[in-house]
Amino acid sequence: QTGSGKTFTMEGGQSEQDQGVISRSVAEAFDAAHEATSRGWEYNFAASFLEIYNETVRDLLASDSEKLEMKRPRGSKSTEVVGLSTHAVSTVEEVHGLLQQAATTRAVACTAANAQSSRSHSVFRLSLVGRNSTTGE
């Protein structure tokens, strides 16, 4: 439904009070990872962001806008996007920088309901890999 606020809900606005679901979730993940260090946990974070527009998949964090291919490897239950860039991040601020970069390359257009309506679907992924030096987990 155009103009209903889906992108705003996920990405938020410019102020601290207008943070979207993505920003709030990223902050929670980093806070939890930091808190877990006292129990021997160490986490590595990596982010990716893609857009699907007119049946074309693009990497919103890549320097080129090359069309990407989605594949489901034989015998696998997951789908992968071949060539999607993944960026190591270690702070919330680094993630916000990537989100701002992605926002500048996203497909938008003017609609009757919104002057800057997103014309696409997007998927932001923050991967966490943890290891506990105390327990070996």
Side-chain angles (χ1 to χ4, degrees), residues 7-80:
T7 299
F8 182 79
T9 298
M10 295 306 294
E11 296 179 9
Q14 299 300 318
S15 72
E16 183 82 19
Q17 298 89 331
D18 287 341
Q19 283 188 351
V21 171
I22 293 173
S23 292
R24 293 174 192 270
S25 299
V26 166
E28 284 288 324
F30 275 96
D31 287 347
H34 179 71
E35 185 266 320
T37 58
S38 64
R39 295 187 313 275
W41 286 96
E42 182 179 312
Y43 288 91
N44 293 312
F45 293 81
S48 61
F49 208 169
L50 64 83
E51 169 184 65
I52 304 169
Y53 178 61
N54 285 340
E55 299 184 26
T56 299
V57 180
R58 290 186 325 119
D59 188 335
L60 292 175
L61 301 177
S63 56
D64 58 24
S65 60
E66 188 175 309
K67 180 180 175 180
L68 300 176
E69 180 183 359
M70 295 178 73
K71 281 188 173 180
R72 176 178 262 170
R74 186 175 296 259
S76 175
K77 293 183 180 182
S78 64
T79 301
E80 62 185 52

